[in-house]
Amino acid sequence: IDKISLSKFIFLEPGIRVDLPLNDVTPYIQPRMGIHFTATPKLKFNLRYGIYHQFVAENTIVDNFNNYLYYWGIADNKYMPVLKGTHYVAGMSFDHKICKVRLEGFYKETDGLHRFYRIEKTNTISGSIGRSRSYGIDCYLKKEIRRHDFSIAYTWSRTQERFDYFLSEQYQRAPHDQQHEIKGAGLFNFNPFFFSLNYTYGSGVSNVSDLNSNLDLPVYSRLD
């Protein structure tokens, strides 16, 4: 990775990563690029692009009743493809003594998804290759009050997938698609005692028994 200044306010951050798996001996080249613009000392903007490979993946087996069985596998690009993700991110940050704000929009594509499914007519198992896309917005707000820190993060996102065995070529909701997620945290400094309060809320992932419906599984909520 390098940092190249084009001016006092703009700099580039090019980078590259190369992975060489021992079971494949194929070099996987992953370029990355970031563009950062400083509008004021407190307001900054950035654009980022990158390619990422993953060699261990959680795949699925789907039966005739649309039940999902998950299993982990190591990609060898022979029986199981290597996952390839392409990420595009645009964001801004505002750092002030009043509060800190982060806002990012993202679009991500993943190729090389692998799924086994049962063919009902022949009662055989077949493999299918697919791809997915995710897009959304991340918001983050942090506030410091005396010695105590408070933060809240919100994500709105959609995740869709498409496999060869789908009857339609259109993207469908992914099993892990969740539209809303909120996280809040409070760190309390009463030296020598320290306390924390954390809360997470998720609107619920899609119902895998009927991905075309608008029904989601129950919401996820946790307080620590």
Side-chain angles (χ1 to χ4, degrees), residues 173-223:
R173 291 189 66 185
H176 54 281
D177 175 55
Q178 180 172 250
Q179 190 168 4
H180 304 283
E181 185 178 71
I182 300 175
K183 295 180 179 179
L187 302 176
F188 303 92
N189 182 355
F190 296 102
N191 191 27
F193 296 98
F194 300 87
F195 303 91
S196 65
L197 182 67
N198 301 278
Y199 176 72
T200 301
Y201 168 86
S203 60
V205 298
S206 59
N207 189 344
V208 295
S209 62
D210 188 3
L211 293 174
N212 293 319
S213 72
N214 293 321
L215 298 177
D216 291 337
L217 295 178
V219 301
Y220 174 84
S221 179
R222 175 169 175 162
L223 177 65

